[in-house]
Amino acid sequence: MPRAITPPPGPPLTLTEVTATLDQHGVDLADEASIARCATLLAGLQRNRAFLADRVIAALKASYADQLEINRYSAQVFLLHRSPRGFYLRANLWPAAGDAVTTASGPAAFSYGVAHDHNFSFLTVGYFGPGYVSDYYEVDPETVDGRRGEPLALKFVERSQLSEGKMMLYRAHRDIHRQLPPESLSVSLNIMDEGDHVPWRDQYIVDLGRQAQGRGTIAKRPTLTSSEMLLRCAVHLSDDAHDIAAHFAKAHPVPRVRANAIAALAAVAEEGEGRAAVLERGLRDADARVRDDCRRWLAE
């Protein structure tokens, strides 16, 4: 499960104080000194019981303009700071099961009931309310290829709640959780790693169907960059895009991009043998994920 962090003692801190220090030192959630610094700052911000309401009210008075500009996430997320040094600070809103927004959008819109890992590490603390509940699992990321349907040796750790003041470090690809809604509206604060590598790392949605036997399977890999989607479209519009897709399929360093380039080429190949030939070339890729995707597409 995520690593429990004892919030360091100290005074409440303003958002300006926190972001200035973070910008000065940067964030590296694989480094113990950086984790300690971030924990001190996040704990201080959590003790400031007025800053979030003040920030939200200011955003509403400004017609939410800054959020529309910098927030790349859903309405559940309120961006507090995005740094050019590759991290961001945000507040996450967690509605209760009976709240109107949950019944209107459905629980999956807030990741409730959907077991998943993260392709980045982040430090989180409960800021307001009872907090969401999670069933926590661990997996050794070194044992995972990332193939759809791949069995995972999951270790169930516990069910617990992100209550006010509780702080945890979620570790990329190691910690898996299935979230359940809080008893009432809750808010968490996060310091997130947003390095250039993050969009190229797959996140996994996990099927817990065999959790009682310590097993789960990778159900989906939902990560997709805009360049991959554009490539899928471009091959239908221009022959030049075919050359780019062929180069990506052969030489791109990210397996998922190679697989999507192969899929793009297959989509514009001649039906039958031509399409099969494109996918069969993908069966020779060095990465198990690419080979598995191509094998599945051939079967379909």
Side-chain angles (χ1 to χ4, degrees):
M1 66 173 290
R3 175 178 157 189
I5 303 287
T6 301
L13 298 174
T14 67
L15 182 60
T16 299
E17 290 172 327
V18 169
T19 56
T21 304
L22 289 174
D23 281 341
Q24 178 184 356
H25 294 281
V27 171
D28 180 0
L29 295 178
D31 176 75
E32 289 299 323
S34 183
I35 292 171
R37 184 183 306 114
C38 291
T40 298
L41 294 170
L42 196 61
L45 192 61
Q46 193 277 333
R47 294 185 187 102
N48 185 333
R49 307 312 294 164
F51 94 93
L52 185 57
D54 292 344
R55 186 63 180 258
V56 170
I57 290 169
L60 291 171
K61 287 182 177 179
S63 300
Y64 225 62
D66 63 332
Q67 290 295 310
L68 294 175
E69 180 179 352
I70 67 173
N71 191 351
R72 303 174 187 172
Y73 301 92
S74 67
Q76 178 188 12
V77 172
F78 186 82
L79 255 293
L80 298 169
H81 180 67
R82 183 181 294 280
S83 173
R85 298 197 62 174
F87 69 88
Y88 57 100
L89 179 64
R90 74 183 190 183
N92 265 34
L93 312 180
W94 303 102
D99 286 349
V101 67
T102 311
T103 56
S105 302
F110 304 97
S111 297
Y112 294 150
V114 180
H116 60 280
D117 73 347
H118 297 273
N119 57 352
F120 51 84
S121 297
F122 65 99
L123 188 68
T124 188
V125 67
Y127 180 75
F128 171 81
Y132 64 76
V133 175
S134 277
D135 290 327
Y136 286 112
Y137 301 81
E138 285 186 20
V139 68
D140 180 357
E142 297 299 319
T143 66
V144 178
D145 286 335
R147 295 170 287 113
R148 279 182 55 179
E150 178 183 357
L152 301 176
L154 298 180
K155 176 186 176 184
F156 176 72
V157 182
E158 68 174 21
R159 172 177 287 192
S160 64
Q161 196 161 17
L162 189 68
S163 53
E164 286 187 18
K166 185 174 182 177
M167 186 177 294
M168 307 178 82
L169 174 67
Y170 281 77
R171 301 162 296 179
H173 292 306
R174 182 173 295 276
D175 297 312
I176 294 172
H177 68 144
R178 184 174 72 97
Q179 292 169 280
L180 303 172
E183 298 162 3
S184 60
L185 178 68
S186 299
V187 180
S188 61
L189 304 178
N190 301 335
I191 295 177
M192 322 286 289
D193 176 7
E194 196 186 34
D196 293 339
H197 62 286
V198 170
W200 307 112
R201 293 166 61 174
D202 288 328
Q203 182 188 29
Y204 303 131
I205 304 299
V206 177
D207 182 352
L208 296 174
R210 297 177 61 193
Q211 60 175 307
Q213 290 80 39
R215 289 289 183 268
T217 55
I218 295 176
K220 297 179 182 178
R221 300 193 309 264
T223 315
L224 188 70
T225 62
S226 58
S227 60
E228 292 166 82
M229 181 61 72
L230 288 171
L231 184 64
R232 291 262 195 150
C233 297
V235 292
H236 293 277
L237 305 175
S238 169
D239 289 341
D240 290 340
H242 295 192
D243 294 335
I244 297 173
H247 175 69
F248 279 13
K250 182 178 180 180
H252 200 283
V254 178
R256 190 186 71 240
V257 179
R258 295 200 300 275
N260 277 307
I262 292 168
L265 291 170
V268 294
E270 292 184 9
E271 290 282 353
E273 292 184 3
R275 186 165 298 179
V278 172
L279 296 174
E280 285 169 357
R281 287 196 293 271
L283 297 178
R284 298 191 292 270
D285 193 275
D287 191 272
R289 287 164 291 185
V290 180
R291 297 193 303 270
D292 182 70
D293 283 345
C294 290
R295 191 175 297 111
R296 179 162 37 81
W297 293 331
L298 275 167
E300 293 171 356

